[in-house]
Amino acid sequence: MKKINICGKDFDIECNAFTFVEYRKKFKDRGIFEDFGIINNFMTMQVLLTKTLKQKNPNITQEEIIKETSRQLITYLDDYIEAVTRIGYICCYSANQRIGEYEEWLKNLTRINTNDTWIVEVTELAVNCFCGREGI
């Protein structure tokens, strides 16, 4: 079990076989690996777009990069936010079933940035759990 801070609140997170089973029960429309794909695709597009912007304008500011990547990736944002919050929730739920249902848990998230560190931490935990890349 690991502790993680999401939007200023500490949560225990865990990933195991229960996580996989509960994910499918709670989110019937997509499996956890489909959501991993959504996250991976979004992050890849974000990195490639950032690289392209820097190549075209080496003096571009971080603020300008964020503004332009947000504008260009807006159509993918709904699926990305849904995927990261679902994976975050299920890892918290796997550690502590008393956290309630997904919609209730979402009320703890005051804001979500596409580059929040908790997103990487939770996603890495889950990927490592299912893909056997512990310690990478």
Side-chain angles (χ1 to χ4, degrees):
M1 192 167 325
K2 179 179 178 177
K3 274 224 185 287
I4 192 164
N5 188 286
I6 302 174
C7 296
K9 295 185 180 187
D10 290 330
F11 293 94
D12 291 326
I13 60 172
E14 182 64 75
C15 189
N16 50 42
F18 174 78
T19 308
F20 177 80
V21 171
E22 284 300 302
Y23 201 90
R24 184 56 86 178
K25 282 182 188 176
K26 294 204 177 280
F27 309 113
K28 295 170 178 42
D29 60 329
R30 288 194 309 254
I32 196 167
F33 292 103
E34 291 171 274
D35 279 348
F36 287 155
I38 288 169
I39 293 167
N40 184 57
N41 289 341
F42 185 88
M43 290 180 156
T44 300
M45 287 186 293
Q46 194 175 39
V47 167
L48 292 174
L49 183 53
T50 298
K51 184 177 178 181
T52 301
L53 291 169
K54 286 181 178 179
Q55 286 174 342
K56 287 182 178 177
N57 181 4
N59 298 323
I60 194 168
T61 66
Q62 189 63 28
E63 185 177 304
E64 291 169 323
I65 290 171
I66 291 169
K67 184 177 180 181
E68 185 57 24
T69 56
S70 295
R71 187 186 67 73
Q72 289 193 36
L73 297 176
I74 194 79
T75 58
Y76 305 99
L77 202 51
D78 286 337
D79 287 340
Y80 175 76
I81 295 298
E82 183 177 54
V84 297
T85 57
R86 287 167 28 147
I87 291 172
Y89 166 77
I90 206 67
C91 288
C92 291
Y93 185 81
S94 294
N96 176 10
Q97 290 84 46
R98 294 179 305 246
I99 66 168
E101 293 302 317
Y102 175 64
E103 291 81 9
E104 285 299 310
W105 180 80
L106 282 175
K107 292 177 184 177
N108 291 297
L109 308 185
T110 54
R111 69 183 238 332
I112 300 171
N113 255 336
T114 58
N115 59 351
D116 282 344
T117 57
W118 70 265
I119 294 171
V120 173
E121 290 179 63
V122 167
T123 305
E124 283 180 351
L125 174 78
V127 168
N128 289 343
C129 172
F130 294 118
C131 298
R133 298 192 306 186
E134 192 68 36
I136 290 179

